[in-house]
Amino acid sequence: MTIQNKQKLLAAQSFEEVLEAVQPMITSILSQLRIYKDFDDYRHIASIAVWQAWQKTDSSKGQFSAYIYATVKGEILKELSREKNYTDRVTIVDDDMFNYIYEELSEGDKQNHAIILESMLSSLKQVERSILLLYYIEGYSHQEIAKELGLSVNAVTKRRARIIKKLQKQVFIIE
């Protein structure tokens, strides 16, 4: 049975029947939005959206299949937006960078500085940490970093200067 046929039988349908009928549509939406990673999580979000649409359906307001499509796609787009905002705001400190800097500290300072350093580095975006790692630890030039990250040399130079100022402000606040 297609989704269009299900729309006509909505009053007699269970949620499980509706969910089973819209699985190809959910797969199509995930493919259209190019979601290949965390596929099961997004499929779960889509299933919840189908549940919400199924509970709120009103046959006088249009096709049920169109309502499900809009609800599912909208919820997935909201989650993608949340994920992007989260990764822009919160970054995880790379173990290599943290370990390298941690080893440079004297034994007496390691405990105090480790917490401060991890906090400071985690406040940076991934690209900012990459610039610092490549420049200070790997010894890359601005040109090499620009090529590696797909940025202009000018952008790398300016970003590195801003990152240093940002970290200096954090150090000033801590001390």
Side-chain angles (χ1 to χ4, degrees), residues 81-92:
S81 178
R82 279 188 216 115
E83 285 289 323
K84 183 181 180 332
N85 289 337
Y86 178 79
T87 56
D88 284 350
R89 285 181 286 133
V90 177
T91 54
I92 299 168

Side-chain angles (χ1 to χ4, degrees), residues 30-139:
L30 295 174
S31 177
Q32 176 188 9
L33 295 175
R34 295 186 176 110
I35 297 174
Y36 303 110
K37 157 176 131 168
D38 300 328
F39 193 76
D40 291 334
D41 293 338
Y42 286 99
R43 186 167 283 286
H44 183 70
I45 290 166
S47 298
I48 293 169
V50 171
W51 170 260
Q52 292 168 343
W54 182 75
Q55 285 186 320
K56 295 179 183 178
T57 189
D58 184 357
S59 59
S60 66
K61 293 188 177 181
Q63 285 190 330
F64 181 55
S65 59
Y67 181 60
I68 288 179
Y69 181 87
T71 304
V72 168
K73 190 169 183 179
E75 288 299 316
I76 292 173
L77 287 171
K78 274 196 259 181
E79 183 61 25
L80 286 170
S81 178
R82 279 188 216 115
E83 285 289 323
K84 183 181 180 332
N85 289 337
Y86 178 79
T87 56
D88 284 350
R89 285 181 286 133
V90 177
T91 54
I92 299 168
V93 177
D94 297 323
D95 288 338
D96 293 337
M97 178 181 250
F98 181 72
N99 289 336
Y100 176 81
I101 296 170
Y102 184 71
E103 288 170 6
E104 296 299 313
L105 296 172
S106 67
E107 282 300 319
D109 293 336
K110 281 188 179 181
Q111 278 188 329
N112 295 333
H113 291 293
I115 295 168
I116 295 168
L117 182 60
E118 185 174 9
S119 173
M120 290 171 61
L121 292 175
S122 67
S123 71
L124 298 176
K125 294 180 182 177
Q126 179 63 39
V127 70
E128 293 173 331
R129 285 187 287 114
S130 295
I131 290 170
L132 291 181
L133 175 70
L134 293 172
Y135 188 81
Y136 291 105
I137 296 175
E138 299 295 327

